[in-house]
Amino acid sequence: MSSDHSSKDPRLHALHGHFERPRQFTFPFCYTPHPMCVAAASEVQRHVDESGVLRQEHGGGKMFGVLVVDTGDGGTAFLAAYSGLLAGRNDWTYFVPPVFDACRPGGYFRMRERQITEVGCEMERCAADPARLALMKEMKDVEEEARHATAAYRRQMEEARLRREETRRGGTDEAVEERLRNESRFMKAELRRMKRAYAARLEELAARLRPLDGRLERLRTRRRLMSDGLQEWLFRRYEMLNARGERRSLPDIFATFSAGAPPAGTGDCCAPKLLQYAYQRGYKPLCMAEFWWGGSPSGELRRHGHFYPSCTGKCGPLLRYMMQGLDVEPDPLGTVFEGELKIVYEDDDIVVVDKPHGMLSVPGRGCCVSALSLMCARYGGAGEALAVHRLDMDTGGLLVMARTAQAQRALHAQFEARTVSKRYTALLDGTPDCPGEGTIDLPLGADFNDRPRRKVDMETGRRAVTRYEIMGRRGDRTLVRLYPMTGRTHQLRVHCAHKDGLGCPISGDRLYGKGGGRMCLRATSLTLVHPSTGKTMTFCVDDGFQEM
């Protein structure tokens, strides 16, 4: 099933071996790579290592992609791509070209980019104007002087008030009382005069500063408008194809498939470049995969050699358009779960269930079947089971729901106060290089261009803390217990996978690990206070990993 078309198209590479073709094209946001893609990826990895192109990549690693295609004459071959630029270039002949070459020397984009840079340089000169800096320093000095002077005078006023109170306690006549009142009025008026004097000095300085700041603000506005205009011009140059032969620009696609504008870098990821090139050359896409090769960037969780789904922020709307006309695999996350929901405990106030892996906690993603909906059906009405907390769809284990609004409020208060104790059990791929027990403290933030992924964000992320215990080995995997001290989205998954955490992803984690099969993470213990009786209750279930 291989065909060598390199003499006709140097970017089309022979796929050696005998493979059964996939029946449907890859659903790019959740997939297990097809053997054809695995073989193609191996060829790309060999080329990258032998050519040394990645050694010129300052970030240390890069996302690559492969697209296996039917060449139209019965042959099968593959195309390769990288995300963005590779070592500052977009013209490596082994890989497909960009959809639009904004890097072309002398082109409109580069010319306009230089103009924007010149405005930025002018902003820097304006911001560093000695006259402006001197005024700003003088204003800061006057503000500091005003703060100290008014604080010192307030202390004098307080001391004078105490002396007046002492005088009054010794007895006063009308003349003395009038003198004390006049002293109080004078000091208050003096404080107001002091504040007005400092305010006048600051206003005089601000008036001298306003023309300089106004010029800086005009430059800032000019640069923003130029940048926005150039970005819009660039997006209009990306005329994307789909399998039906239709052609639309990025802004038009996002207007249809998304509520917002395209994020910067849209169209430069692997998948759109591969599909665009295939459509242009008349190749039929068969299957696709993306993988990370090289060191992991700071904050993100990218592991050398692992396959990853396409990003959702930039590629979500775009690929939904580009795959129109292809027979695409169904979204595995949108399938209806048909397993059983085991009830661990129930009474008139709460119900605790053992949610299976693959079931939603609450309705979502266009699927109404969830643990909550099943319990609502059991009790005969939507108001008879109320959500309290959630588990990821890929996470199984203990989930508590309320039977009344009063019980829901009481349980919510416990979760918010972090008095609910939770223990998770997980199987990790590999062996953590860390002590047998300890605490992981890594702040997490959203990866806005690749939801629902999270990343470690040391600057703006929310604090996330997990205590762990390494329990032993299960073949080539490690059994751990995890105790989340905070409740951030994907906290346990990121803390396990990140190099500054346990450094080993949870087995089967499709977002932060290798994927494939079920994710080996279960909520195995839950301790809470019953909302009506006040009794502390602990629920436990097996991890279910013994036979894995």
Side-chain angles (χ1 to χ4, degrees), residues 190-205:
E190 185 64 19
L191 179 62
R192 290 193 292 271
R193 284 192 292 271
M194 181 185 296
K195 288 182 176 179
R196 285 197 296 269
Y198 279 116
R201 288 178 61 186
L202 289 171
E203 174 55 31
E204 188 270 333
L205 292 171

Side-chain angles (χ1 to χ4, degrees), residues 203-250:
E203 174 55 31
E204 188 270 333
L205 292 171
R208 292 162 58 189
L209 183 62
R210 271 194 287 273
L212 300 176
D213 279 348
R215 179 167 176 261
L216 180 60
E217 184 58 33
R218 288 191 295 274
L219 288 169
R220 185 178 290 115
T221 300
R222 180 184 175 194
R223 186 177 68 168
R224 185 182 68 252
L225 293 175
M226 291 174 68
S227 296
D228 292 346
L230 182 59
Q231 186 67 83
E232 175 69 16
W233 177 89
L234 180 62
F235 282 154
R236 291 291 175 187
R237 308 282 83 74
Y238 281 74
E239 295 188 338
M240 312 304 295
L241 297 167
N242 63 18
R244 297 171 180 167
E246 299 167 338
R247 185 185 299 268
R248 297 179 68 180
S249 70
L250 287 180

Side-chain angles (χ1 to χ4, degrees), residues 359-375:
M359 176 183 285
L360 293 170
S361 294
V362 298
R365 296 182 180 272
C367 176
C368 61
V369 177
S370 65
L372 180 64
S373 64
L374 291 177
M375 297 314 299

Side-chain angles (χ1 to χ4, degrees), residues 55-74:
R55 289 194 291 271
Q56 305 173 49
E57 182 69 24
H58 299 300
K62 176 65 65 175
M63 190 70 76
F64 293 88
V66 292
L67 175 67
V68 179
V69 297
D70 183 327
T71 56
D73 56 1

Side-chain angles (χ1 to χ4, degrees), residues 390-439:
R390 302 183 185 187
L391 296 175
D392 291 344
M393 180 179 180
D394 293 336
T395 303
L398 293 167
L399 182 71
V400 62
M401 288 175 267
R403 301 279 316 272
T404 68
Q406 183 177 358
Q408 184 189 41
R409 287 193 295 271
L411 291 172
H412 271 160
Q414 293 184 49
F415 275 93
E416 290 174 1
R418 300 178 185 173
T419 58
V420 177
S421 298
K422 294 175 285 183
R423 184 188 74 208
Y424 291 74
T425 306
L427 277 179
L428 308 183
D429 287 329
T431 304
D433 183 17
C434 56
E437 61 180 50
T439 300

Side-chain angles (χ1 to χ4, degrees), residues 298-301 418 439-447 453-466 486-496 498-501 512:
S298 176
E300 293 189 54
L301 293 169
R418 300 178 185 173
T439 300
I440 303 167
D441 190 345
L442 293 173
L444 302 180
D447 189 340
R453 287 176 59 90
R454 294 297 190 269
K455 62 182 180 180
V456 172
D457 186 343
M458 304 303 293
E459 295 183 359
T460 61
R462 301 179 68 187
R463 191 182 185 199
V465 182
T466 303
T486 54
R488 310 300 178 214
T489 301
H490 294 181
Q491 174 177 318
L492 301 182
R493 299 166 70 172
V494 175
H495 279 183
C496 287
H498 196 271
K499 60 182 178 62
D500 295 327
Y512 308 105

